[in-house]
């Protein structure tokens, strides 16, 4: 055991020493508390409201893409849009094995909680909480520690991919109790005491609450908690009713079990918790596979080494400690989802109801794809930094199609949902395919075509999330008319936004069709990719709701939220044509008018960084000969919309998309149009960046970038003058050196040539 810990420490030391000027482990720049308080960024104060004014992240102790994440719990519910932990809360009532979609407004599911108390036994989650102080709280990706003031208990957490490990140190001698419960809001679940094995086990059935109807998902979150010493007493409870020596309880509100110990002052009790989505027995197997014969320090050191290895894929130099904290915390947040669903031996329940027990072999099967968000930057980031992991994610999506007979749109809870608009699983698969991360078979390709051209014949299948919403209207009119209320969807109406997003998805699918020489479908899809024009009103220089007869709705204000727009205003969504900016320019009257409209949009304060549909907008000046404005805007957003404080994220992080945007922006380029292997250049924000790409390194040098020189003067790629304002994905994979000469004032000549503009479907 000591040898293993020594090896991990040596690895951490070597990784730290590989950086020239800073020996701080990269993982120690990560602050998981960033984003756990209401956003205090500039944009959030003017645009955010309700849950959108909070990043909705929690201080996870976890591995990248883990099955279960471990967090302190200040809210015991699994209610939609309520995260397990909020920084401004003052009471901790448990420590949760969580499946909360980080940064989201869905709900936790299949979760369980554990809570230590001393003195009198108090089991109810409403009564057992303890005050705590942030001065006695430490949060890192590999350890969370807090002192529970009411009980004088020090609590520490660390984790593996499927398991958690907690250590409770009791200052008070005498009776100590550790309570476990499934977090079911439906009065469901099960807990049992297995005294002879020092175990408390249980499960919490999963419901698809965000879908809107709350149906059972067909599986549960299972747990096995194993203690490192014998119980002096035990029992189960329902709320405040305690049943000492009883060994099982099920399907009542606020149920759980507890173990009691007589402890000396300063004594610690360790609890190892295995989790699974398959069964209690599989949770026990996961515990044995990942935690058997291991102590807290060893697990913690290994988790720290895991994060250090991943974060070392991008090494930055220059800038302040705050700059590095913002960057590496963003990278950490980017790597939390999707979620591993299979057990350590590969076992997992099939998609959409779990009727079959399958095995993933030597790869992981993933769930919880927040596709409306993460196709934009998160998955492109994985394609660049972690292509093998993203290939397994794409395999998981295609596996869902084979099991459910339809490619999912927004797969959460290992289920179909119509939770958000668009069909961006197609775009995500297209980006991976075009970048040669995956090969799509003939059979798999048919599932993509099916989504784009067919609607389920069975209404219940459609209602439950199979197929594109309002596809028949979209195909008939070339847009979704206002008469189609899209009732069988969690997000109803939003017809203009659906039209725009389907047009982009059609474009992305056309890229796969062209790669496969399927010219017939490619031509039709490319024509459909121009459907965005059908909801554009030239008189308003803006998108606008349209009826089936072709007339535009009188209900229109480009500056206000409209029912036919998703989570935004018509003007904000007007710029959502990432595949055909040149075509949008033509609609606006040409390049000059386009640039002027873009200026007016930003001057009016319409840009809202706290929600995803506009994330590409700051980069659009590169398409109209004014890339220095992109460089200035991105720098401003990085400064004003991200902070190293607890309120430092400008809206829901949405499974890491908000953070992935920052990572790309700091590197100096962004994937405006996923499925096109290009990145639009905005300029790096560190003096030197080293990116590990498979078996080579890409070095980006930009002296002065970290000290306010944010304008590109000139650039070189491998010693040759580089004038394009975008980068090719395959050129980056070759490694080498990208050099930027940075300055404090714009160079209005660099990157402005029309022949050197980023890709657009319509050619100038």
């Amino acid at each position: 055991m000591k040898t293993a810990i020594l090896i991990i420490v040596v690895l951490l030391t070597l990784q730290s020493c590989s950086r020239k000027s800073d020996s701080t482990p990269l993982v120690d720049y990560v602050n998981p508390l960033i984003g756990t308080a209401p956003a205090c960024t500039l944009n959030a104060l003017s645009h955010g409201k309700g849950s959108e004014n909070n990043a909705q992240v929690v201080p996870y102790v976890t591995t990248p893409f883990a099955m279960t994440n471990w967090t302190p719990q200040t809210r015991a519910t699994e209610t939609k849009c309520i995260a397990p932990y909020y920084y401004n809360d003052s009471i901790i009532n448990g420590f949760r094995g969580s499946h909360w979609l980080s940064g989201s407004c869905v709900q936790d599911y299949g979760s369980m909680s554990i809570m230590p108390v001393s003195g009198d036994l108090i089991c109810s989650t409403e009564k057992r909480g303890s005050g705590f102080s942030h001065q006695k709280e430490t949060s890192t990706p590999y350890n969370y520690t807090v002192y529970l003031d009411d009980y004088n208990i020090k609590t520490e957490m660390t984790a593996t991919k499927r398991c958690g490990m907690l250590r409770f140190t009791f200052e008070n001698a005498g009776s100590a109790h550790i309570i476990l419960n499934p977090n079911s809001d439906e009065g469901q679940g099960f807990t049992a005491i297995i005294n002879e094995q020092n175990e408390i086990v249980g499960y919490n059935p999963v419901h698809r609450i965000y879908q809107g109807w709350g149906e059972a998902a067909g599986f549960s979150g299972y747990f096995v908690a194993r203690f490192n010493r014998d119980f002096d007493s035990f029992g189960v409870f329902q709320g405040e009713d305690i049943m000492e020596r009883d060994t099982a309880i099920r399907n009542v509100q606020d149920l759980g079990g507890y173990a009691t110990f007589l402890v000396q002052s300063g004594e610690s009790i360790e609890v190892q918790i295995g989790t699974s989505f398959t069964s209690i027995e599989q949770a026990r197997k996961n515990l044995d596979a990942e935690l058997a014969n291991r102590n807290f320090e060893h697990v913690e050191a290994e988790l720290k080494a895991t994060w250090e290895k991943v974060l070392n894929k991008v090494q930055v130099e220059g800038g302040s400690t705050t700059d590095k904290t913002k960057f590496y915390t963003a990278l950490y947040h980017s790597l939390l989802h999707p979620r591993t669903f299979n057990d350590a031996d590969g076992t997992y329940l099939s998609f959409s109801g779990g009727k079959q027990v399958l095995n993933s072999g030597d790869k992981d099967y993933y769930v919880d794809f927040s596709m409306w968000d993460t196709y934009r930057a998160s998955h492109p980031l994985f394609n660049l930094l972690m292509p093998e992991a993203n290939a397994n994610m794409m395999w998981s999506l295609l596996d869902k199609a084979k099991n459910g007979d339809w490619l999912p749109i927004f797969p959460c809870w290992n289920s179909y949902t119509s939770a958000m608009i668009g069909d961006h699983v197609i775009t995500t698969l297209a980006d991976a395919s075009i970048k040669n991360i995956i090969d799509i078979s003939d059979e798999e390709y048919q599932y993509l075509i099916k989504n784009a051209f067919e609607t389920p014949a069975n209404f219940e299948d459609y209602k439950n999330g199979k197929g594109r919403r309002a596809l028949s209207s979209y195909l008939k009119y070339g847009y979704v008319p206002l008469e189609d209320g899209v009732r069988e969807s969690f997000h109803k109406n939003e017809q203009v936004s659906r039209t725009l997003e389907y047009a982009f998805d059609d474009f992305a699918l056309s890229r796969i069709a062209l790669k496969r020489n399927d010219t017939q479908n490619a031509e039709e899809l490319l024509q459909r990719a121009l459907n965005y024009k059908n909801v554009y009103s030239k008189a308003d220089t803006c998108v606008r709701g349209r009826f089936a007869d072709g007339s535009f709705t009188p209900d229109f204000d480009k500056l206000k939220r409209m029912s036919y727009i998703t989570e935004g205003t018509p003007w904000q969504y007007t710029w959502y044509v990432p595949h055909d900016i040149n075509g949008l320019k033509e609609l606006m009257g040409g390049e000059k008018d386009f640039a002027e409209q873009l200026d007016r949009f930003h001057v009016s304060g319409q840009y809202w960084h706290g929600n995803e549909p506009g994330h590409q907008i700051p980069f659009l000046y590169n398409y109209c000969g004014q890339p220095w404005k992109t460089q200035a805007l991105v720098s401003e957003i990085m400064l004003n919309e991200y902070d190293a404080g607890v309120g430092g994220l400008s809206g829901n992080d949405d499974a890491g998309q908000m953070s992935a945007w920052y990572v790309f922006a700091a590197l100096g380029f962004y994937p405006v149009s996923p499925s096109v292997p290009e990145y639009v250049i905005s300029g790096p924000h560190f003096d030197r960046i080293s990116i590990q790409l498979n078996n080579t390194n890409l070095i980006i040098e930009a002296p002065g970038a970290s000290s306010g020189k944010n304008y590109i003067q000139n650039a070189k790629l491998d010693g040759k003058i580089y004038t394009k304002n975008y980068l090719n994905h395959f050129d980056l994979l070759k490694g080498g050196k990208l050099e930027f000469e940075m300055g404090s004032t714009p160079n209005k000549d660099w990157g402005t040539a029309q022949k050197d503009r980023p890709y657009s479907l319509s050619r100038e």
Side-chain angles (χ1 to χ4, degrees):
M1 189 68 69
K2 291 181 179 179
T3 302
I5 295 174
L6 179 61
I7 291 171
I8 292 170
V9 171
V10 170
L11 286 172
L12 286 169
T13 303
L14 290 174
Q15 288 167 342
S16 299
C17 291
S18 68
R19 298 184 296 279
K20 294 181 180 180
S21 58
D22 187 353
S23 61
T24 304
L26 299 185
V27 69
D28 287 343
Y29 286 115
V30 177
N31 179 6
L33 292 171
I34 292 176
T36 59
C40 58
T41 64
L42 188 64
N43 222 212
L45 297 177
S46 58
H47 288 286
K49 62 178 183 178
S51 65
E52 293 171 357
N53 192 37
N54 194 301
Q56 297 287 86
V57 298
V58 294
Y60 275 153
V61 176
T62 187
T63 68
F65 314 124
M67 172 181 282
T68 302
N69 317 107
W70 301 88
T71 175
Q73 173 182 289
T74 64
R75 309 283 178 101
T77 181
E78 288 187 340
T79 300
K80 175 181 178 289
C81 291
I82 298 181
Y85 173 97
Y86 290 97
Y87 187 85
N88 289 351
D89 289 345
S90 60
I91 302 293
I92 286 177
N93 54 40
F95 299 88
R96 183 182 294 198
S98 173
H99 307 119
W100 171 256
L101 187 64
S102 178
S104 74
C105 194
V106 292
Q107 87 291 332
D108 209 338
Y109 67 88
S111 70
M112 57 77 62
S113 297
I114 181 171
M115 179 68 181
V117 302
S118 60
D120 294 337
L121 174 59
I122 307 172
C123 294
S124 168
T125 53
E126 292 185 3
K127 304 289 186 179
R128 73 192 188 197
S130 170
F132 73 104
S133 164
H134 293 301
Q135 285 69 44
K136 297 178 182 179
E137 178 186 45
T138 303
S139 178
T140 73
Y142 55 89
N143 176 286
Y144 175 87
T145 299
V146 71
Y147 189 80
L148 301 178
D149 293 333
D150 288 19
Y151 300 118
N152 295 321
I153 301 171
K154 178 183 178 182
T155 295
E156 303 165 89
M157 290 192 296
T158 191
T160 62
K161 183 182 287 189
R162 299 169 182 87
C163 304
M165 192 166 186
L166 296 95
R167 180 164 60 192
F168 306 112
T169 302
F170 297 87
E171 184 175 318
N172 298 343
S175 294
H177 317 279
I178 299 177
I179 304 147
L180 285 89
N181 58 278
N183 294 315
S184 173
D185 290 336
E186 289 78 24
Q188 297 179 350
F190 170 75
T191 303
I193 313 295
I194 306 178
N195 184 38
E196 61 274 16
Q197 297 178 198
N198 297 338
E199 289 181 352
I200 299 179
V201 306
Y203 62 78
N204 180 7
V206 175
H207 292 260
R208 302 161 61 203
I209 300 171
Y210 187 55
Q211 173 74 9
W213 300 287
E215 304 94 341
F219 66 97
S220 298
Y222 299 90
F223 63 89
V224 172
R226 185 178 297 161
F227 296 73
N228 69 337
R229 57 162 285 185
D230 294 341
F231 304 160
D232 290 313
S233 186
F234 59 84
V236 297
F237 67 90
Q238 179 191 0
E240 297 183 54
D241 295 331
I242 296 170
M243 291 148 272
E244 188 174 5
R245 311 301 290 188
D246 281 5
T247 58
I249 188 169
R250 71 177 70 235
N251 294 340
V252 293
Q253 289 286 350
D254 197 10
L255 67 86
Y258 69 91
T260 294
F261 308 89
L262 298 177
V263 298
Q264 302 297 316
S265 177
E267 184 175 348
S268 296
I269 296 176
E270 293 186 359
V271 187
Q272 298 179 339
I273 306 176
T275 67
S276 171
F277 293 117
T278 309
S279 67
I280 288 175
E281 185 54 37
Q282 284 297 138
R284 185 176 287 110
K285 287 181 179 179
N286 289 339
L287 192 159
D288 291 337
E290 296 185 356
L291 288 179
N293 302 317
R294 302 175 68 195
N295 64 27
F296 190 93
E297 284 75 18
H298 180 227
V299 175
E300 178 186 32
E302 187 173 86
L303 182 55
K304 183 175 183 179
T306 295
W307 276 109
E308 189 68 11
K309 181 179 179 180
V310 171
L311 297 176
N312 261 277
K313 288 180 177 291
V314 185
Q315 298 180 14
V316 300
E317 297 179 23
S320 64
T321 297
T322 295
D323 294 331
K324 292 174 181 175
T325 294
K326 289 165 64 175
F327 178 79
Y328 285 110
T329 301
L331 189 52
Y332 154 83
H333 278 141
S334 301
L335 301 176
L336 298 176
H337 297 292
R339 179 183 316 287
T340 300
F341 195 73
N342 61 286
D343 298 312
D345 63 5
T347 301
Y348 68 99
L349 296 179
S350 61
F351 186 62
S352 188
K355 295 179 177 62
Q356 294 176 279
V357 178
L358 304 175
N359 196 285
S360 62
D362 60 354
K363 53 182 175 285
D364 283 327
Y365 171 81
Y366 295 95
V367 298
D368 291 350
F369 290 83
S370 187
M371 296 309 320
W372 187 74
D373 312 289
T374 56
Y375 82 92
R376 305 168 196 269
S378 297
H379 285 285
L381 184 64
F382 304 159
N383 283 332
L384 192 64
L385 299 181
M386 309 177 77
E388 291 185 6
N390 202 59
N392 287 342
M393 295 171 193
M394 299 304 99
W395 166 81
S396 301
L397 292 170
L398 293 167
D399 184 71
K400 298 179 200 308
K402 293 173 184 177
N403 279 283
D405 203 37
W406 285 85
L407 189 70
I409 290 172
F410 192 96
C412 278
W413 316 289
N414 202 38
S415 302
Y416 288 100
T417 83
S418 60
M420 290 298 295
I421 72 169
D423 191 8
H424 302 314
V425 168
I426 282 180
T427 299
T428 308
L429 288 165
D431 195 53
S433 173
I434 297 303
K435 292 173 181 174
N436 296 330
I437 306 298
I438 58 167
D439 291 319
I440 296 176
S441 70
D442 291 345
E443 176 192 0
E444 292 165 343
Y445 177 59
Q446 291 308 312
Y447 288 115
L448 279 71
I449 293 296
K450 186 177 181 180
N451 262 40
F453 289 90
E454 299 180 31
T455 296
N458 185 304
F459 177 77
E460 285 301 313
D461 285 344
Y462 178 69
K463 180 181 177 181
N464 285 327
K466 294 184 179 182
R468 291 187 184 183
R469 309 295 90 180
L471 178 63
S472 58
S473 293
Y474 175 77
L475 294 179
K476 180 178 180 179
Y477 298 99
Y479 61 95
V480 182
L482 295 178
E483 288 89 342
D484 190 338
V486 201
R487 296 304 173 196
E488 283 68 50
S489 178
F490 185 80
H491 277 238
K492 296 171 175 54
N493 297 312
E494 304 181 2
Q495 297 92 338
V496 169
S497 295
R498 292 180 196 280
T499 300
L500 294 168
E501 298 203 17
Y502 286 160
F504 179 57
D505 294 326
D506 288 340
F507 167 78
L509 183 52
S510 78
R511 304 280 296 174
I512 300 178
L514 288 170
K515 183 177 180 179
R516 299 176 59 84
N517 295 316
D518 179 6
T519 55
Q520 181 177 345
N521 280 321
E523 289 174 4
E524 182 170 352
L525 289 163
L526 284 169
Q527 187 61 41
R528 283 166 48 174
L530 301 176
N531 281 345
Y532 69 89
K533 297 181 180 182
N534 296 332
V535 290
Y536 183 84
S537 169
K538 289 188 177 182
D540 302 300
T541 59
C542 189
V543 295
R544 186 169 181 168
R546 194 174 186 183
F547 294 107
D549 65 5
S551 62
F552 287 104
T553 176
D555 182 18
F556 175 73
D557 187 330
K558 69 191 300 181
L559 302 178
K560 294 182 179 179
R561 289 195 173 197
M562 296 281 124
S563 65
Y564 47 81
I565 298 294
T566 301
E567 299 180 4
T569 69
W571 207 3
Q572 289 165 352
Y573 244 99
T574 295
W575 309 99
Y576 185 85
V577 191
H579 58 295
D580 195 21
I581 303 303
N582 287 344
L584 183 60
K585 284 192 294 186
E586 292 171 6
L587 289 178
M588 289 186 173
E591 184 167 290
K592 181 175 180 293
D593 291 331
F594 175 89
E596 289 176 355
Q597 282 290 326
L598 203 51
D599 287 343
R600 292 191 194 102
F601 175 80
H602 287 291
V603 169
S604 72
Q606 270 281 294
Y607 180 69
W608 177 25
H609 192 68
N611 209 2
E612 283 71 23
H615 274 189
Q616 80 286 352
I617 296 175
F619 302 90
L620 299 188
Y621 283 111
N622 280 34
Y623 293 79
C624 61
Q626 300 181 15
W628 66 88
K629 290 185 179 179
T630 282
Q631 295 157 33
L633 264 174
V634 171
S635 300
E636 180 182 325
I637 293 167
M638 292 179 67
L639 179 65
N640 293 330
E641 304 307 321
Y642 297 85
D643 188 75
V646 291
L649 277 176
S650 181
N652 293 176
D653 196 40
D654 285 319
Q657 164 59 26
M658 195 74 61
S659 293
W661 188 99
Y662 186 89
V663 172
F664 270 119
L667 298 181
F669 50 90
Y670 186 82
V672 166
S673 184
S675 77
V676 175
E678 290 180 359
Y679 307 92
V680 173
I681 294 174
S682 55
H685 284 260
F686 288 96
D687 297 343
R688 188 177 189 274
I689 304 168
S690 176
I691 306 174
Q692 294 178 19
L693 302 171
N694 292 329
N695 296 318
T696 187
N697 282 357
L698 173 68
I699 305 300
I700 302 174
E701 292 187 346
S706 63
S707 56
K709 293 184 177 181
N710 299 139
Y711 291 102
I712 299 170
Q713 308 298 302
N714 292 291
K716 291 181 179 180
L717 180 60
D718 290 332
K720 296 180 181 179
I721 298 295
Y722 195 82
T723 59
K724 298 177 181 179
N725 60 34
Y726 67 91
L727 295 163
N728 180 274
H729 174 77
F730 297 104
D731 288 342
L732 294 186
L733 293 187
K734 296 174 185 176
K737 182 181 290 187
L738 181 60
E739 300 171 87
F740 290 96
E741 179 187 344
M742 306 299 291
S744 300
T745 57
N747 175 8
K748 296 185 179 181
D749 293 324
W750 181 86
T752 59
Q754 286 195 8
K755 65 181 178 64
D756 291 336
R757 302 274 177 85
Y759 177 89
S760 185
L761 178 59
S762 300
R763 290 298 185 182
E764 294 176 312

